[in-house]
Structure formats: C-alpha cells, structure tokens
Amino acid sequence: MAELVPVDTFDLIIFGGTGDLAMRKLLPALYHRDRDGQITADSRIIAASRSALSRDDYVATVEASLRASLPGDDFDDGHWSTFRNRLHYVQADAFQHDQWGAMVDILAGHEDSVRVAYLATAPSLFGSIAGGLRANGLVTEKSRIVLEKPLGRDLESARVINNAVGDCFRENQIYRIDHYLGKETVQNLLALRFANSLFEPLWRRGSIDHVQFTVAEDLGVGGRVEFYDGVGALRDMVQNHLLQLVCLFAMEPPSSLDQNAVRDEKIKVLRSLKPITADDARANTVRGQYTAGAVNGKTVAGFLDELSGKDSSTETFVALKLEIENWRWSGVPFYLRTGKRLKAKHSEIVVQFQNVPHSIFPEQKFNVSPNMLRIRLQPDEGVQLSVMAKEPGPGGFDLRPVSLDLSFAETFGIRYPDAYERLLMEVLRGNPALFMRRDEVEAAWEWIDGIIESWQVSKQKVESYVSGSWGPPASSMLLDRDGRAWHQED
Ligand code: BG6
C-alpha cells in the first residue's frame, strides 16, 4: 500500500454536520484516515448546523451512526476515544451571519491551521455560507471551501453560485467535489492509459469502434424522492460523474499530474462535445422512469408510487449517444447509460476495438469477435481484455474469445478506501487536481442545458421500465440501430 503521510493540522468545519452526507460519508472517512495515523493530534472537526445541540449530544449521534455504518469490526472502542475528542459542535444558521459567535470563538487563535469549510448543504446555501465566513473574518490565507454537488441545476444557477463563492474565495481555494474522481478505479484509468505504452497508440479512431459507459444502480431514489423529482438522472449523474469519466477516458495525455495540466485537458473534451439538438434528441437520447418490479428478489415500488401518486416526468434513467468532435475521436460513438432500480449495481467502461479487416479462418465455427477492453469500476474493480484464441484440439481451427482478467482486490488484497477518504485528504493537503474547476462545471452544464432544452422542444417523453430490468427497450434500440448492443445485459 502507498505510504500514508499525515496532513498538516487542520480545522474542518462541516456545514450540514448533522446531515446524511456527514454521517454516511464524511465522518466515516475521517475516522478511517485518523485510525491510519494521517491526522495530527491537534486537528479538529467542527460540525455546524441550525439545530441547538450540545457537544455531548452531537458526539453521541456520531457514535451511534459510526457503530451502525462502519463495516465488520472497523469500529474500535479504543480508537473512538481519540476520535471523539476531535469533534465539536456549533450552531449556525446560513443566513444569520451575525449569530455565528460560537464559530468565531472556537476558531479564534487557530489562524495558523489549515481551515476547511465543507458545505454538505443544499446548493442554495453555498453563496450565503461563503458570505458568512467572509463577513465574520473567518477566511484566512490557509482557508479552503468544499462544495458538494449539485452545483446548481443549469448553467445560469451554477454561475450564480460560482460568482457568490468566488467573491469570498480565490479559485484555487475552491474545491468542487465529484466523488467519482476519488474512486480508486477511476484513478486507475489514468494509470492504465498513461503508465502503459500498450494502449495509447490504439486509443483513437481507426482502432476503437465505440465505447460504452454504464453506471447502473439497483437502488431507487429512496428518501431523496422529493429532491430528485424535477432533477432527474441527466443532471444528477451525467452532468458530473459520467462526463468526468468521459473526460478522463478521452482526454489527450496531460504533461503531468499537476492540477491544471489534467484539468486543461479535460476541459478540451467538454468543449468538443457535439451539441444534441432538438432534431436529433429523439434519435440519440432515451429517458426512462422505473415502475414497480423486483430487484435482487425483492418487490419494489415504482417512482410515481414513491411520489405518493403525484404525476412526474422526471427521468430515473438516461441513455445517450455522444460524439466528440476532434481529431482523435471523430466518428467514434460514445454510448452512455445510467439509471436507478436497474438489475444490478454495476459500473463499467467497455471499449470495443475494430474487428480484423479480413478473416483468414474460413473453417471456424464462430465469427472472429472484436477485442474488448472492459474496465470494471464497481463492484469487483478490475480490467478484462478479451482476445480470440484457438480452441485446443487436432480437428479444425475453431476460435473463441477468452479473457485476460485482472481483479484489483485479488491482486492488491486490501480494503478499497471510500472515495471521500481520498478526496478529503487531497483538500487538506491543498491539491485541487481531483476537483472540478469552474470552467469545467460550466462547460458541462452548457452541454447538458442543450439536451434539456432539446427535450422540451421535441417534447420527449419518459418511457417506463420495470424495476429490475436494464432500462426501457429504447435504450437497446439506441445501439441496435447502429448494429451494436450493450455488453452484459444478462
Ligand atoms: C450521487 C448521486 O452523486 O451519486 C446519487 O446524487 C447516486 O443519486 C450516487 O446514487 C452514486 O454514487 P456511487 O458512488 O454509489 O456510484
């Protein structure tokens, strides 16, 4: 395992400190990094929210939550007694800046520590919280601010947030999180592409026939149904996670891993995305919504049932065909799909290479299949390369595809850290390379806004799909029309 270097002493203020993200992701991530010795003795975690809670109440809530959520024997009583001492609680209303006295007091005298404000709140509060930090003199040279997605719901609202936060913090102090960039296998995409010379000459039109990106979830929208209605899969997943995967996959080799070198290459991909217009939206995009069905052997309700029967045309599934208009990718289709309540939780990138130009095996029973590189993102992270091989035997010359299969878990034999562990450490270290720059977020919104507008103009409907399936039939048609098919539909 890579050496774990402790980060400088910090004060991490979590706005929304009693919320779901703090409890489910941030505090477990900090607990793990602390247990592995990456957090210095004087570092503090200061939760802030509107509720009137004592420090003891807050610590008890965190303890109950960690005990319930940490896997196996990860919760350790000995270590908890160290971790609990880091926890503090202050009451602060995002809009009542003159009542942040408790926060001002707790931070006084700690100006030399790295100071991170993590905004695990609704995006409508981002501007006001940034303003409150500035108004109370809490922004120091060592301050950073972390913004959780969604960063607005379109280009205009994203710009409003970026302007408001940008009035109080410099761009290099702003960390816009996309947790997919913290996933080990997503980072492995960089290693696969740029630490091996094998693939790069083939990573382009001429060698690659098409690429498929699947981010499938078996869960429904659950307790977020009110938030999700009116947002939908395009804004929730494609604008950020899927486009970031496309960027890392398709970008030119950066000159280094420096924060701007990588982000400069990603933005070029976003700017090369061919707009999806009202004329081609129906042919190139599919919107779906789940109905009742069965997932993993359990009966589940439909999206409209979860909305208590309210009507909604929000999509819980989206599939689309995307084109990148540049020299490397011109003419290579990228097919993207993501959805909730699908058959399984399963995310992968499948690269299908072009077939051989001419087969010299006339007797074979099976056709020569094109080579395929499958990058499994979750679960069972790994890489699989399918190649054609001759079936053993003295008879004819029968061919079949076989796999060179690498499972990261088996190879490295360690627990895969959650993406938030990595990303929090990067913020504390002051390395924004794995975070989205303002121009990236805005370029992604610009492209997504174009699709939403096209859907409105072309009045594109959502198509139902049964929970536990792979989405509406139109999603298969999207590839079928091009003589292709989604991989792994069993
Ligand atoms: C979040 C989306 O950003 O990512 C959720 O808002 C989604 O709707 C989640 O469920 C998926 O993340 P992961 O890490 O489970 O693939």
Side-chain angles (χ1 to χ4, degrees):
M1 188 160 84
E3 192 194 345
L4 297 174
V5 181
V7 290
D8 290 347
T9 296
F10 64 81
D11 283 327
L12 171 65
I13 312 145
I14 307 179
F15 289 86
T18 53
D20 185 57
L21 181 75
M23 293 298 162
R24 251 180 352 100
K25 293 288 184 186
L26 306 180
L27 290 158
L30 289 160
Y31 175 88
H32 279 124
R33 292 303 89 231
D34 191 25
R35 202 191 50 183
D36 285 351
Q38 271 193 293
I39 299 186
T40 59
D42 296 337
S43 294
R44 303 182 299 171
I45 300 163
I46 303 161
S49 91
R50 267 190 318 183
S51 321
L53 277 182
S54 69
R55 181 179 181 190
D56 286 347
D57 290 341
Y58 184 69
V59 169
T61 310
V62 175
E63 180 176 358
S65 166
L66 288 181
R67 278 187 190 278
S69 68
L70 290 181
D73 52 6
D74 265 11
F75 189 92
D76 170 82
D77 287 302
H79 182 66
W80 166 248
S81 64
T82 311
F83 187 72
R84 72 191 307 280
N85 290 332
R86 302 188 181 287
L87 300 174
H88 299 264
Y89 181 81
V90 293
Q91 191 177 4
D93 182 307
F95 295 104
Q96 313 280 324
H97 298 165
D98 52 349
Q99 291 170 24
W100 288 19
M103 193 177 325
V104 172
D105 289 348
I106 202 168
L107 291 171
H110 290 260
E111 289 72 18
D112 288 341
S113 299
V114 167
R115 183 173 290 177
V116 174
Y118 197 118
L119 275 46
T121 65
S124 52
L125 306 184
F126 290 174
S128 183
I129 294 175
L133 290 165
R134 187 181 58 177
N136 281 289
L138 299 177
V139 181
T140 64
E141 260 315 292
K142 289 189 172 177
S143 277
R144 287 153 212 169
I145 187 164
V146 186
L147 309 179
E148 255 299 331
K149 71 169 269 278
L151 212 87
R153 52 175 287 113
D154 52 20
L155 176 59
E156 196 186 330
S157 52
R159 278 195 178 135
V160 170
I161 294 172
N162 282 331
N163 286 341
V165 176
D167 283 346
C168 310
F169 291 84
R170 293 187 309 272
E171 177 62 25
N172 67 0
Q173 295 179 298
I174 304 173
Y175 289 67
R176 299 175 189 83
I177 278 218
D178 183 317
H179 78 278
Y180 267 55
L181 295 178
K183 287 184 189 274
E184 285 288 332
T185 29
V186 173
Q187 292 171 20
N188 237 315
L189 189 53
L190 293 178
L192 186 79
R193 286 197 60 195
F194 305 123
N196 295 289
S197 60
L198 185 65
F199 297 113
E200 182 51 25
L202 304 175
W203 215 256
R204 59 191 65 247
R205 68 194 300 268
S207 300
I208 291 182
D209 176 76
H210 75 277
V211 193
Q212 301 182 6
F213 292 74
T214 297
V215 176
E217 296 183 85
D218 51 357
L219 296 178
V221 293
R224 294 161 77 221
V225 67
E226 295 297 335
F227 156 80
Y228 193 90
D229 184 32
V231 173
L234 187 71
R235 291 188 177 96
D236 186 46
M237 296 294 288
V238 181
Q239 189 271 344
N240 34 75
H241 308 323
L242 274 121
L243 285 186
Q244 285 294 320
L245 291 178
V246 169
C247 284
L248 292 179
F249 181 93
M251 70 184 182
E252 294 301 314
S255 55
S256 71
L257 275 188
D258 173 77
Q259 44 165 302
N260 281 323
V262 175
R263 298 191 294 183
D264 285 348
E265 295 307 334
K266 286 198 291 168
I267 184 87
K268 288 184 203 160
V269 176
L270 291 168
R271 290 190 181 132
S272 309
L273 298 180
K274 183 175 175 194
I276 294 184
T277 63
D279 289 339
D280 52 27
R282 271 175 204 264
N284 289 337
T285 67
V286 176
R287 308 176 66 215
Q289 190 185 74
Y290 61 79
T291 58
V295 181
N296 302 325
K298 273 201 191 136
T299 321
V300 291
F303 182 67
L304 294 183
D305 308 323
E306 290 174 325
L307 267 176
S308 312
K310 190 178 135 197
D311 198 23
S312 166
S313 60
T314 298
E315 80 284 352
T316 58
F317 174 97
V318 65
L320 53 90
K321 178 173 162 184
L322 163 160
E323 286 174 68
I324 301 175
E325 296 188 303
N326 65 17
W327 276 45
R328 186 186 281 264
W329 295 115
S330 178
V332 179
F334 284 59
Y335 300 99
L336 275 51
R337 66 174 169 173
T338 181
K340 300 214 178 268
R341 284 269 163 79
L342 298 180
K343 189 163 185 180
K345 183 167 173 73
H346 166 83
S347 304
E348 68 175 8
I349 303 173
V350 179
V351 188
Q352 184 168 316
F353 292 91
Q354 299 220 326
N355 213 339
V356 293
H358 163 72
S359 176
I360 61 163
F361 304 101
E363 292 173 39
Q364 70 189 57
K365 284 198 195 132
F366 305 98
N367 290 331
V368 175
S369 325
N371 299 120
M372 233 163 43
L373 178 70
R374 173 174 265 153
I375 304 164
R376 292 190 305 264
L377 303 175
Q378 58 190 26
D380 186 22
E381 296 85 349
V383 179
Q384 193 183 50
L385 179 66
S386 78
V387 293
M388 292 306 290
K390 179 190 168 300
E391 288 236 17
F397 217 108
D398 292 341
L399 301 174
R400 81 179 159 97
V402 292
S403 291
L404 305 173
D405 202 346
L406 168 71
S407 153
F408 292 143
E410 275 173 30
T411 306
F412 297 109
I414 58 159
R415 174 186 81 88
Y416 261 44
D418 186 75
Y420 280 92
E421 296 182 40
R422 171 68 183 257
L423 293 173
L424 276 164
M425 290 299 108
E426 295 295 307
V427 176
L428 294 165
R429 252 185 226 120
N431 177 13
L434 292 178
F435 298 80
M436 290 183 292
R437 213 166 51 188
R438 173 175 184 154
D439 52 359
E440 279 184 78
V441 174
E442 294 185 1
W445 272 124
E446 200 173 337
W447 189 73
I448 293 289
D449 279 1
I451 300 179
I452 292 172
E453 209 183 298
S454 299
W455 283 349
Q456 281 157 359
V457 174
S458 64
K459 300 197 172 46
Q460 190 159 338
K461 296 208 166 50
V462 281
E463 302 180 31
S464 303
Y465 62 96
V466 180
S467 290
S469 67
W470 282 111
S475 145
S476 307
M477 298 290 293
L478 183 71
L479 277 75
D480 197 44
R481 272 198 301 270
D482 296 345
R484 301 181 173 112
W486 292 107
H487 293 289
Q488 190 141 349
E489 291 236 337
D490 32 272

